[in-house]
Amino acid sequence: MTSSLSLVRTAPGRPAPSGAGLRARYAEVRGASLALAVPLSDEDCCAQSMPDASPVKWHLAHTTWFFETFVLEPRETGFAPFHPAFRVLFNSYYNGVGAKHPRPQRGLLTRPSMAQVLDYRHDVDARMDRLLAALDGAPAEQQAGLAALVELGLQHEQQHQELILTDVKHLLSCSPLWPAYRLQSAGGAVAAADARPTVAEAAPLLWRRFEGGVTEIGHAAQAEGAGFAFDNESPRHRVYLQPYALASRPVSTGEYLAFVEAGGYRDPALWLAEGWDWIQSQGLEHPLYWRCLPDGGRGDGTQEAGWHEFTLAGLRPLQAAAPVVHLSYYEADAYARWAGARLPTEAEWEAAAASAAPRAGQGHFADSGVLHPRPAPAAPRPADAARPPLLEQMFGDVWEWTQSSYAAYPGFRVAEGAVGEYNGKFMVNQYVLRGGSCATPAGHVRATYRNFFPATARWQFSGLRLARDA
């Protein structure tokens, strides 16, 4: 995550959005967060299933805390906090702000109630609206600075919208009832828990070759029309790539099932040493939300025997054609080795995404209402070698692990102040993922976007795309 005004990378001289435009965007993003809580009970919103996850109530409060602390406090005349204790309760990791409530204990915060958190959001939203209403009359430099910080807060909130979905999914998966978060998509299409896949087999996996050489990656803040980017996407810089090839689509669930059934989780030769020790200590034999039901299925007549996957629409039979999801870095790396390939570097991924003109709108984002990866389109094999295959689902459906450690780009500088803690201090012991997922808000990601998680993280919508030397 990122910020301070120097954490938001935009083209110099780019006009700030109008007060009315920023107010509308603020209301839209904030409203989307509340909509995610609608299918949930107050009990759902308070529970915490593991230390890495947070309660929905906490997410809703923390994103509000961000605007109160970093936008209102230094700018609002006669500023007074909504509640003094919230400064500690809903501070995530900003040491520069002060004390923090322990992350593993967020689920113990039965007070404030969900109703009080919603009152907190309403209060801060009303104060933000008054602040933004006066934006058009402010000096240009002040307008640009405030607009950039508010945009950072909205991008931060969109990150938490995805975390709400992943954290809720993990929470509901812990129940023996395997309850659905939502059986109906935002578009109104019923997503029944026993729905059968509409595509039986994944599209053929083809390879697209790239010549490599010297290329540039990273956000071009100086470019005409450059939009928002986090600080960890900059500076733009040159890298050298050897010739490589990238798979035309992510690895499918059916392909990963073959790895599981071939004994992939029992063969130490396929795993990094730390990965092998980890799956042994955890007793892992398959991806996070897979369940193999015995003969007789669930026993209540609602599910048949065989492999199933817990989704936000409840327990469903595995969809073989859909991208495999909820893999750790270790699992993705082991599968790639078993398949005779490897994970791409983040530079390879970005160069391919920027040059290969992936099919517009090829992936599914949270706005689709599906909230689960969908199969790639059945792309026809090119008629001749001069027409390389399309790269399907480079954006959306599943975050794609890369083999690149999360580290600073050459020339990166951490911004001063508490907001500068957003990204830089996490650049250790994590790997980069690219492309967004079915839980990512549409328009939030771009080719330069760098997500990052530890090698053991499985509860995010993470999958993989194969690469190989060419």
Side-chain angles (χ1 to χ4, degrees), residues 208 210 246-249 352-353 356-359 362 389-394 465:
R208 177 157 185 155
F210 295 89
L246 210 59
S248 58
R249 57 163 174 79
R359 179 179 299 177
Q362 78 283 28
L390 293 169
L391 295 180
E392 303 286 356
Q393 298 174 300
M394 289 288 280
R465 183 183 300 267

mmCIF file with all atom_site columns, all heavy atoms in Angstrom, residues 208 210 246-249 352-353 356-359 362 389-394 465:
data_model
loop_
_atom_site.group_PDB
_atom_site.id
_atom_site.type_symbol
_atom_site.label_atom_id
_atom_site.label_alt_id
_atom_site.label_comp_id
_atom_site.label_asym_id
_atom_site.label_entity_id
_atom_site.label_seq_id
_atom_site.pdbx_PDB_ins_code
_atom_site.Cartn_x
_atom_site.Cartn_y
_atom_site.Cartn_z
_atom_site.occupancy
_atom_site.B_iso_or_equiv
_atom_site.pdbx_formal_charge
_atom_site.auth_seq_id
_atom_site.auth_comp_id
_atom_site.auth_asym_id
_atom_site.auth_atom_id
_atom_site.pdbx_PDB_model_num
ATOM 1   N N   . ARG A 1 208 ? 3.180   -17.658 -26.119 1.00 0.00 ? 208 ARG A N   1
ATOM 2   C CA  . ARG A 1 208 ? 3.518   -16.451 -26.876 1.00 0.00 ? 208 ARG A CA  1
ATOM 3   C C   . ARG A 1 208 ? 4.962   -16.083 -26.568 1.00 0.00 ? 208 ARG A C   1
ATOM 4   O O   . ARG A 1 208 ? 5.341   -15.890 -25.420 1.00 0.00 ? 208 ARG A O   1
ATOM 5   C CB  . ARG A 1 208 ? 2.596   -15.298 -26.508 1.00 0.00 ? 208 ARG A CB  1
ATOM 6   C CG  . ARG A 1 208 ? 2.966   -14.009 -27.227 1.00 0.00 ? 208 ARG A CG  1
ATOM 7   C CD  . ARG A 1 208 ? 1.818   -13.063 -27.325 1.00 0.00 ? 208 ARG A CD  1
ATOM 8   N NE  . ARG A 1 208 ? 2.162   -11.894 -28.117 1.00 0.00 ? 208 ARG A NE  1
ATOM 9   C CZ  . ARG A 1 208 ? 1.293   -11.157 -28.757 1.00 0.00 ? 208 ARG A CZ  1
ATOM 10  N NH1 . ARG A 1 208 ? -0.002  -11.484 -28.732 1.00 0.00 ? 208 ARG A NH1 1
ATOM 11  N NH2 . ARG A 1 208 ? 1.677   -10.098 -29.448 1.00 0.00 ? 208 ARG A NH2 1
ATOM 12  N N   . PHE A 1 210 ? 8.417   -13.808 -26.659 1.00 0.00 ? 210 PHE A N   1
ATOM 13  C CA  . PHE A 1 210 ? 8.873   -12.421 -26.616 1.00 0.00 ? 210 PHE A CA  1
ATOM 14  C C   . PHE A 1 210 ? 10.389  -12.415 -26.787 1.00 0.00 ? 210 PHE A C   1
ATOM 15  O O   . PHE A 1 210 ? 11.085  -13.239 -26.189 1.00 0.00 ? 210 PHE A O   1
ATOM 16  C CB  . PHE A 1 210 ? 8.481   -11.759 -25.290 1.00 0.00 ? 210 PHE A CB  1
ATOM 17  C CG  . PHE A 1 210 ? 6.994   -11.630 -25.118 1.00 0.00 ? 210 PHE A CG  1
ATOM 18  C CD1 . PHE A 1 210 ? 6.261   -12.659 -24.523 1.00 0.00 ? 210 PHE A CD1 1
ATOM 19  C CD2 . PHE A 1 210 ? 6.319   -10.508 -25.559 1.00 0.00 ? 210 PHE A CD2 1
ATOM 20  C CE1 . PHE A 1 210 ? 4.891   -12.557 -24.367 1.00 0.00 ? 210 PHE A CE1 1
ATOM 21  C CE2 . PHE A 1 210 ? 4.949   -10.398 -25.418 1.00 0.00 ? 210 PHE A CE2 1
ATOM 22  C CZ  . PHE A 1 210 ? 4.229   -11.418 -24.827 1.00 0.00 ? 210 PHE A CZ  1
ATOM 23  N N   . LEU A 1 246 ? 5.360   -16.751 -22.672 1.00 0.00 ? 246 LEU A N   1
ATOM 24  C CA  . LEU A 1 246 ? 4.351   -16.673 -21.639 1.00 0.00 ? 246 LEU A CA  1
ATOM 25  C C   . LEU A 1 246 ? 3.126   -17.460 -22.088 1.00 0.00 ? 246 LEU A C   1
ATOM 26  O O   . LEU A 1 246 ? 2.747   -17.422 -23.263 1.00 0.00 ? 246 LEU A O   1
ATOM 27  C CB  . LEU A 1 246 ? 3.970   -15.215 -21.389 1.00 0.00 ? 246 LEU A CB  1
ATOM 28  C CG  . LEU A 1 246 ? 3.521   -14.806 -19.983 1.00 0.00 ? 246 LEU A CG  1
ATOM 29  C CD1 . LEU A 1 246 ? 4.609   -15.114 -18.963 1.00 0.00 ? 246 LEU A CD1 1
ATOM 30  C CD2 . LEU A 1 246 ? 3.181   -13.318 -19.948 1.00 0.00 ? 246 LEU A CD2 1
ATOM 31  N N   . ALA A 1 247 ? 2.513   -18.185 -21.169 1.00 0.00 ? 247 ALA A N   1
ATOM 32  C CA  . ALA A 1 247 ? 1.323   -18.971 -21.495 1.00 0.00 ? 247 ALA A CA  1
ATOM 33  C C   . ALA A 1 247 ? 0.165   -18.054 -21.854 1.00 0.00 ? 247 ALA A C   1
ATOM 34  O O   . ALA A 1 247 ? 0.043   -16.940 -21.347 1.00 0.00 ? 247 ALA A O   1
ATOM 35  C CB  . ALA A 1 247 ? 0.940   -19.867 -20.322 1.00 0.00 ? 247 ALA A CB  1
ATOM 36  N N   . SER A 1 248 ? -0.704  -18.545 -22.713 1.00 0.00 ? 248 SER A N   1
ATOM 37  C CA  . SER A 1 248 ? -1.806  -17.725 -23.227 1.00 0.00 ? 248 SER A CA  1
ATOM 38  C C   . SER A 1 248 ? -2.913  -17.500 -22.205 1.00 0.00 ? 248 SER A C   1
ATOM 39  O O   . SER A 1 248 ? -3.773  -16.640 -22.403 1.00 0.00 ? 248 SER A O   1
ATOM 40  C CB  . SER A 1 248 ? -2.395  -18.378 -24.477 1.00 0.00 ? 248 SER A CB  1
ATOM 41  O OG  . SER A 1 248 ? -2.854  -19.695 -24.193 1.00 0.00 ? 248 SER A OG  1
ATOM 42  N N   . ARG A 1 249 ? -2.904  -18.249 -21.115 1.00 0.00 ? 249 ARG A N   1
ATOM 43  C CA  . ARG A 1 249 ? -3.938  -18.102 -20.079 1.00 0.00 ? 249 ARG A CA  1
ATOM 44  C C   . ARG A 1 249 ? -3.380  -18.618 -18.759 1.00 0.00 ? 249 ARG A C   1
ATOM 45  O O   . ARG A 1 249 ? -2.345  -19.308 -18.727 1.00 0.00 ? 249 ARG A O   1
ATOM 46  C CB  . ARG A 1 249 ? -5.196  -18.907 -20.451 1.00 0.00 ? 249 ARG A CB  1
ATOM 47  C CG  . ARG A 1 249 ? -4.930  -20.386 -20.681 1.00 0.00 ? 249 ARG A CG  1
ATOM 48  C CD  . ARG A 1 249 ? -6.179  -21.227 -20.648 1.00 0.00 ? 249 ARG A CD  1
ATOM 49  N NE  . ARG A 1 249 ? -5.914  -22.620 -21.000 1.00 0.00 ? 249 ARG A NE  1
ATOM 50  C CZ  . ARG A 1 249 ? -5.393  -23.515 -20.181 1.00 0.00 ? 249 ARG A CZ  1
ATOM 51  N NH1 . ARG A 1 249 ? -5.057  -23.168 -18.948 1.00 0.00 ? 249 ARG A NH1 1
ATOM 52  N NH2 . ARG A 1 249 ? -5.186  -24.765 -20.578 1.00 0.00 ? 249 ARG A NH2 1
ATOM 53  N N   . ALA A 1 352 ? 5.121   -8.073  -21.197 1.00 0.00 ? 352 ALA A N   1
ATOM 54  C CA  . ALA A 1 352 ? 4.139   -8.784  -22.011 1.00 0.00 ? 352 ALA A CA  1
ATOM 55  C C   . ALA A 1 352 ? 2.792   -8.082  -21.974 1.00 0.00 ? 352 ALA A C   1
ATOM 56  O O   . ALA A 1 352 ? 2.131   -7.906  -23.008 1.00 0.00 ? 352 ALA A O   1
ATOM 57  C CB  . ALA A 1 352 ? 4.005   -10.223 -21.519 1.00 0.00 ? 352 ALA A CB  1
ATOM 58  N N   . ALA A 1 353 ? 2.382   -7.641  -20.789 1.00 0.00 ? 353 ALA A N   1
ATOM 59  C CA  . ALA A 1 353 ? 1.091   -6.966  -20.655 1.00 0.00 ? 353 ALA A CA  1
ATOM 60  C C   . ALA A 1 353 ? 1.064   -5.666  -21.437 1.00 0.00 ? 353 ALA A C   1
ATOM 61  O O   . ALA A 1 353 ? 0.028   -5.276  -21.997 1.00 0.00 ? 353 ALA A O   1
ATOM 62  C CB  . ALA A 1 353 ? 0.793   -6.700  -19.184 1.00 0.00 ? 353 ALA A CB  1
ATOM 63  N N   . ALA A 1 356 ? 1.620   -6.873  -25.659 1.00 0.00 ? 356 ALA A N   1
ATOM 64  C CA  . ALA A 1 356 ? 0.900   -7.936  -26.353 1.00 0.00 ? 356 ALA A CA  1
ATOM 65  C C   . ALA A 1 356 ? -0.563  -7.617  -26.632 1.00 0.00 ? 356 ALA A C   1
ATOM 66  O O   . ALA A 1 356 ? -1.268  -8.439  -27.202 1.00 0.00 ? 356 ALA A O   1
ATOM 67  C CB  . ALA A 1 356 ? 0.982   -9.229  -25.536 1.00 0.00 ? 356 ALA A CB  1
ATOM 68  N N   . ALA A 1 357 ? -0.993  -6.434  -26.227 1.00 0.00 ? 357 ALA A N   1
ATOM 69  C CA  . ALA A 1 357 ? -2.382  -6.020  -26.463 1.00 0.00 ? 357 ALA A CA  1
ATOM 70  C C   . ALA A 1 357 ? -3.369  -7.104  -26.075 1.00 0.00 ? 357 ALA A C   1
ATOM 71  O O   . ALA A 1 357 ? -4.077  -7.655  -26.910 1.00 0.00 ? 357 ALA A O   1
ATOM 72  C CB  . ALA A 1 357 ? -2.576  -5.638  -27.930 1.00 0.00 ? 357 ALA A CB  1
ATOM 73  N N   . PRO A 1 358 ? -3.429  -7.454  -24.784 1.00 0.00 ? 358 PRO A N   1
ATOM 74  C CA  . PRO A 1 358 ? -4.399  -8.465  -24.358 1.00 0.00 ? 358 PRO A CA  1
ATOM 75  C C   . PRO A 1 358 ? -5.816  -8.054  -24.737 1.00 0.00 ? 358 PRO A C   1
ATOM 76  O O   . PRO A 1 358 ? -6.116  -6.874  -24.850 1.00 0.00 ? 358 PRO A O   1
ATOM 77  C CB  . PRO A 1 358 ? -4.229  -8.492  -22.832 1.00 0.00 ? 358 PRO A CB  1
ATOM 78  C CG  . PRO A 1 358 ? -2.892  -7.883  -22.577 1.00 0.00 ? 358 PRO A CG  1
ATOM 79  C CD  . PRO A 1 358 ? -2.671  -6.892  -23.669 1.00 0.00 ? 358 PRO A CD  1
ATOM 80  N N   . ARG A 1 359 ? -6.662  -9.018  -24.923 1.00 0.00 ? 359 ARG A N   1
ATOM 81  C CA  . ARG A 1 359 ? -8.043  -8.745  -25.323 1.00 0.00 ? 359 ARG A CA  1
ATOM 82  C C   . ARG A 1 359 ? -8.712  -7.820  -24.314 1.00 0.00 ? 359 ARG A C   1
ATOM 83  O O   . ARG A 1 359 ? -8.689  -8.058  -23.121 1.00 0.00 ? 359 ARG A O   1
ATOM 84  C CB  . ARG A 1 359 ? -8.816  -10.061 -25.427 1.00 0.00 ? 359 ARG A CB  1
ATOM 85  C CG  . ARG A 1 359 ? -10.278 -9.886  -25.822 1.00 0.00 ? 359 ARG A CG  1
ATOM 86  C CD  . ARG A 1 359 ? -10.955 -11.233 -25.931 1.00 0.00 ? 359 ARG A CD  1
ATOM 87  N NE  . ARG A 1 359 ? -10.337 -12.065 -26.950 1.00 0.00 ? 359 ARG A NE  1
ATOM 88  C CZ  . ARG A 1 359 ? -10.720 -13.318 -27.203 1.00 0.00 ? 359 ARG A CZ  1
ATOM 89  N NH1 . ARG A 1 359 ? -11.700 -13.865 -26.509 1.00 0.00 ? 359 ARG A NH1 1
ATOM 90  N NH2 . ARG A 1 359 ? -10.113 -14.020 -28.132 1.00 0.00 ? 359 ARG A NH2 1
ATOM 91  N N   . GLN A 1 362 ? -10.959 -8.824  -20.997 1.00 0.00 ? 362 GLN A N   1
ATOM 92  C CA  . GLN A 1 362 ? -10.937 -10.281 -21.014 1.00 0.00 ? 362 GLN A CA  1
ATOM 93  C C   . GLN A 1 362 ? -11.103 -10.900 -19.648 1.00 0.00 ? 362 GLN A C   1
ATOM 94  O O   . GLN A 1 362 ? -11.453 -12.061 -19.536 1.00 0.00 ? 362 GLN A O   1
ATOM 95  C CB  . GLN A 1 362 ? -9.625  -10.770 -21.645 1.00 0.00 ? 362 GLN A CB  1
ATOM 96  C CG  . GLN A 1 362 ? -8.399  -10.721 -20.736 1.00 0.00 ? 362 GLN A CG  1
ATOM 97  C CD  . GLN A 1 362 ? -7.832  -9.316  -20.583 1.00 0.00 ? 362 GLN A CD  1
ATOM 98  O OE1 . GLN A 1 362 ? -8.549  -8.339  -20.697 1.00 0.00 ? 362 GLN A OE1 1
ATOM 99  N NE2 . GLN A 1 362 ? -6.547  -9.205  -20.326 1.00 0.00 ? 362 GLN A NE2 1
ATOM 100 N N   . PRO A 1 389 ? -0.581  -15.981 -30.269 1.00 0.00 ? 389 PRO A N   1
ATOM 101 C CA  . PRO A 1 389 ? -1.850  -16.092 -29.533 1.00 0.00 ? 389 PRO A CA  1
ATOM 102 C C   . PRO A 1 389 ? -2.082  -14.899 -28.624 1.00 0.00 ? 389 PRO A C   1
ATOM 103 O O   . PRO A 1 389 ? -1.145  -14.244 -28.169 1.00 0.00 ? 389 PRO A O   1
ATOM 104 C CB  . PRO A 1 389 ? -1.668  -17.384 -28.729 1.00 0.00 ? 389 PRO A CB  1
ATOM 105 C CG  . PRO A 1 389 ? -0.191  -17.512 -28.567 1.00 0.00 ? 389 PRO A CG  1
ATOM 106 C CD  . PRO A 1 389 ? 0.405   -16.984 -29.840 1.00 0.00 ? 389 PRO A CD  1
ATOM 107 N N   . LEU A 1 390 ? -3.344  -14.631 -28.360 1.00 0.00 ? 390 LEU A N   1
ATOM 108 C CA  . LEU A 1 390 ? -3.695  -13.593 -27.396 1.00 0.00 ? 390 LEU A CA  1
ATOM 109 C C   . LEU A 1 390 ? -3.328  -14.052 -25.983 1.00 0.00 ? 390 LEU A C   1
ATOM 110 O O   . LEU A 1 390 ? -3.322  -15.245 -25.682 1.00 0.00 ? 390 LEU A O   1
ATOM 111 C CB  . LEU A 1 390 ? -5.192  -13.301 -27.454 1.00 0.00 ? 390 LEU A CB  1
ATOM 112 C CG  . LEU A 1 390 ? -5.735  -12.663 -28.737 1.00 0.00 ? 390 LEU A CG  1
ATOM 113 C CD1 . LEU A 1 390 ? -7.253  -12.684 -28.728 1.00 0.00 ? 390 LEU A CD1 1
ATOM 114 C CD2 . LEU A 1 390 ? -5.226  -11.235 -28.877 1.00 0.00 ? 390 LEU A CD2 1
ATOM 115 N N   . LEU A 1 391 ? -3.024  -13.094 -25.156 1.00 0.00 ? 391 LEU A N   1
ATOM 116 C CA  . LEU A 1 391 ? -2.816  -13.378 -23.735 1.00 0.00 ? 391 LEU A CA  1
ATOM 117 C C   . LEU A 1 391 ? -4.128  -13.100 -23.014 1.00 0.00 ? 391 LEU A C   1
ATOM 118 O O   . LEU A 1 391 ? -4.511  -11.955 -22.804 1.00 0.00 ? 391 LEU A O   1
ATOM 119 C CB  . LEU A 1 391 ? -1.690  -12.511 -23.169 1.00 0.00 ? 391 LEU A CB  1
ATOM 120 C CG  . LEU A 1 391 ? -0.303  -12.760 -23.744 1.00 0.00 ? 391 LEU A CG  1
ATOM 121 C CD1 . LEU A 1 391 ? 0.712   -11.837 -23.094 1.00 0.00 ? 391 LEU A CD1 1
ATOM 122 C CD2 . LEU A 1 391 ? 0.115   -14.218 -23.550 1.00 0.00 ? 391 LEU A CD2 1
ATOM 123 N N   . GLU A 1 392 ? -4.829  -14.155 -22.662 1.00 0.00 ? 392 GLU A N   1
ATOM 124 C CA  . GLU A 1 392 ? -6.138  -14.024 -22.022 1.00 0.00 ? 392 GLU A CA  1
ATOM 125 C C   . GLU A 1 392 ? -5.995  -13.801 -20.514 1.00 0.00 ? 392 GLU A C   1
ATOM 126 O O   . GLU A 1 392 ? -5.082  -14.309 -19.881 1.00 0.00 ? 392 GLU A O   1
ATOM 127 C CB  . GLU A 1 392 ? -6.970  -15.289 -22.263 1.00 0.00 ? 392 GLU A CB  1
ATOM 128 C CG  . GLU A 1 392 ? -7.162  -15.648 -23.727 1.00 0.00 ? 392 GLU A CG  1
ATOM 129 C CD  . GLU A 1 392 ? -8.153  -14.749 -24.433 1.00 0.00 ? 392 GLU A CD  1
ATOM 130 O OE1 . GLU A 1 392 ? -8.751  -13.886 -23.751 1.00 0.00 ? 392 GLU A OE1 1
ATOM 131 O OE2 . GLU A 1 392 ? -8.321  -14.892 -25.647 1.00 0.00 ? 392 GLU A OE2 1
ATOM 132 N N   . GLN A 1 393 ? -6.912  -13.036 -19.960 1.00 0.00 ? 393 GLN A N   1
ATOM 133 C CA  . GLN A 1 393 ? -7.037  -12.856 -18.516 1.00 0.00 ? 393 GLN A CA  1
ATOM 134 C C   . GLN A 1 393 ? -5.749  -12.357 -17.848 1.00 0.00 ? 393 GLN A C   1
ATOM 135 O O   . GLN A 1 393 ? -5.456  -12.717 -16.706 1.00 0.00 ? 393 GLN A O   1
ATOM 136 C CB  . GLN A 1 393 ? -7.499  -14.164 -17.859 1.00 0.00 ? 393 GLN A CB  1
ATOM 137 C CG  . GLN A 1 393 ? -8.872  -14.627 -18.343 1.00 0.00 ? 393 GLN A CG  1
ATOM 138 C CD  . GLN A 1 393 ? -9.268  -15.980 -17.800 1.00 0.00 ? 393 GLN A CD  1
ATOM 139 O OE1 . GLN A 1 393 ? -8.573  -16.972 -18.034 1.00 0.00 ? 393 GLN A OE1 1
ATOM 140 N NE2 . GLN A 1 393 ? -10.390 -16.043 -17.087 1.00 0.00 ? 393 GLN A NE2 1
ATOM 141 N N   . MET A 1 394 ? -5.037  -11.501 -18.551 1.00 0.00 ? 394 MET A N   1
ATOM 142 C CA  . MET A 1 394 ? -3.887  -10.874 -17.896 1.00 0.00 ? 394 MET A CA  1
ATOM 143 C C   . MET A 1 394 ? -4.355  -9.975  -16.753 1.00 0.00 ? 394 MET A C   1
ATOM 144 O O   . MET A 1 394 ? -3.613  -9.740  -15.799 1.00 0.00 ? 394 MET A O   1
ATOM 145 C CB  . MET A 1 394 ? -3.075  -10.059 -18.908 1.00 0.00 ? 394 MET A CB  1
ATOM 146 C CG  . MET A 1 394 ? -2.296  -10.883 -19.913 1.00 0.00 ? 394 MET A CG  1
ATOM 147 S SD  . MET A 1 394 ? -0.871  -11.731 -19.185 1.00 0.00 ? 394 MET A SD  1
ATOM 148 C CE  . MET A 1 394 ? 0.333   -10.409 -19.111 1.00 0.00 ? 394 MET A CE  1
ATOM 149 N N   . ARG A 1 465 ? 0.385   -18.027 -13.957 1.00 0.00 ? 465 ARG A N   1
ATOM 150 C CA  . ARG A 1 465 ? 0.554   -18.169 -15.412 1.00 0.00 ? 465 ARG A CA  1
ATOM 151 C C   . ARG A 1 465 ? 1.973   -18.675 -15.637 1.00 0.00 ? 465 ARG A C   1
ATOM 152 O O   . ARG A 1 465 ? 2.933   -18.163 -15.039 1.00 0.00 ? 465 ARG A O   1
ATOM 153 C CB  . ARG A 1 465 ? 0.366   -16.821 -16.107 1.00 0.00 ? 465 ARG A CB  1
ATOM 154 C CG  . ARG A 1 465 ? 0.451   -16.870 -17.641 1.00 0.00 ? 465 ARG A CG  1
ATOM 155 C CD  . ARG A 1 465 ? 0.332   -15.469 -18.220 1.00 0.00 ? 465 ARG A CD  1
ATOM 156 N NE  . ARG A 1 465 ? -0.934  -14.841 -17.861 1.00 0.00 ? 465 ARG A NE  1
ATOM 157 C CZ  . ARG A 1 465 ? -2.035  -14.886 -18.612 1.00 0.00 ? 465 ARG A CZ  1
ATOM 158 N NH1 . ARG A 1 465 ? -2.007  -15.488 -19.791 1.00 0.00 ? 465 ARG A NH1 1
ATOM 159 N NH2 . ARG A 1 465 ? -3.138  -14.289 -18.213 1.00 0.00 ? 465 ARG A NH2 1
#
